[in-house]
Amino acid sequence: RTGGGLGFKFINSVIYSTVATFFIVFFGLMIGFALSKMGFEKLSVFIGALIGLGYLISINSVIIPLFLTLRAVKLVDTHFGIILVYTAFGLPMSVMLSTQFISGLPDSLVESAYIDGASTFRMFISIIVPMSMPVAVTVAIINALCIWNEFLLVLFLASSEFTKSLPVGVYSFSSLTSTELGWQLAALVIAVLPAMIEYFIFILIFNLGNGPQ
């Protein structure tokens, strides 16, 4: 056995972490904006509570029904299916943090945008998203690192080398009878370095966003 297809697994990890994190941050901000600034108080409380319950559900507790559901809709062993699951599990925390942050923004910003004739989506993109960068970066750091290091979900849902991620590749160098220590250490370095670089980049963006104006 050679490198175990680490190059493809590395690319898959990049795809999963970047695409799923983008969806988690974007949809989290969008739902948070709707719940905190659209004026539907009772409905917002109900939806917020429903989404909050999703935060209590772990991947371990629903892995079997999740696999059966994805198999029924033919999304097992696909990039889209795995990204969809990552996004679903990351959204509850993203929505809760985004809702709390956006609710603290002045209502006058939304009102003045309405007076100027801005559409709801334009207001969200031009005002809410730029002002919510601190919480967006926080959510991105947490989810990107979690998805990059996630193991169990891909182990169950990805059966081919085409869809497996880097943590599964690191695990593949160990067996009941032997461990290819050299390849495993090399794979660990490949797995750890991008996560560290990603973390420091997000921290730099976060600090720049909170620096002197």
Side-chain angles (χ1 to χ4, degrees), residues 12-90:
N12 286 335
S13 289
V14 172
I15 292 173
Y16 296 148
S17 59
T18 54
V19 176
T21 298
F22 171 79
F23 285 147
I24 291 169
V25 172
F26 184 77
F27 290 132
L29 289 176
M30 187 176 288
I31 297 172
F33 171 56
L35 294 179
S36 59
K37 295 297 183 183
M38 297 302 290
F40 306 107
E41 294 185 5
K42 294 182 179 179
L43 184 61
S44 296
V45 171
F46 174 75
I47 295 177
L50 195 63
I51 293 175
L53 289 176
Y55 187 70
L56 303 177
I57 301 175
S58 67
I59 292 179
N60 297 2
S61 62
V62 295
I63 191 68
I64 304 271
L66 185 62
F67 174 82
L68 296 176
T69 302
L70 290 179
R71 188 177 65 177
V73 295
K74 302 185 185 304
L75 287 179
V76 171
D77 198 28
T78 64
H79 290 92
F80 178 73
I82 294 173
I83 290 172
L84 191 66
V85 174
Y86 279 142
T87 304
F89 277 100

Side-chain angles (χ1 to χ4, degrees), residues 77-145:
D77 198 28
T78 64
H79 290 92
F80 178 73
I82 294 173
I83 290 172
L84 191 66
V85 174
Y86 279 142
T87 304
F89 277 100
L91 268 179
M93 182 189 67
S94 178
V95 170
M96 288 190 293
L97 293 178
S98 299
T99 302
Q100 289 298 317
F101 185 88
I102 295 174
S103 63
L105 298 178
D107 292 333
S108 57
L109 293 173
V110 177
E111 295 168 358
S112 60
Y114 272 128
I115 293 173
D116 291 338
S119 64
T120 303
F121 185 74
R122 180 58 184 270
M123 183 197 321
F124 170 72
I125 294 295
S126 301
I127 299 176
I128 301 300
V129 171
M131 296 193 68
S132 302
M133 284 306 296
V135 71
V137 172
T138 301
V139 171
I141 291 174
I142 296 172
N143 284 281
L145 293 179

Side-chain angles (χ1 to χ4, degrees), residues 139-161:
V139 171
I141 291 174
I142 296 172
N143 284 281
L145 293 179
C146 287
I147 294 171
W148 182 268
N149 295 314
E150 203 280 327
F151 172 76
L152 182 65
L153 181 65
V154 178
L155 184 65
F156 270 81
L157 300 183
S159 57
S160 67
E161 298 297 318

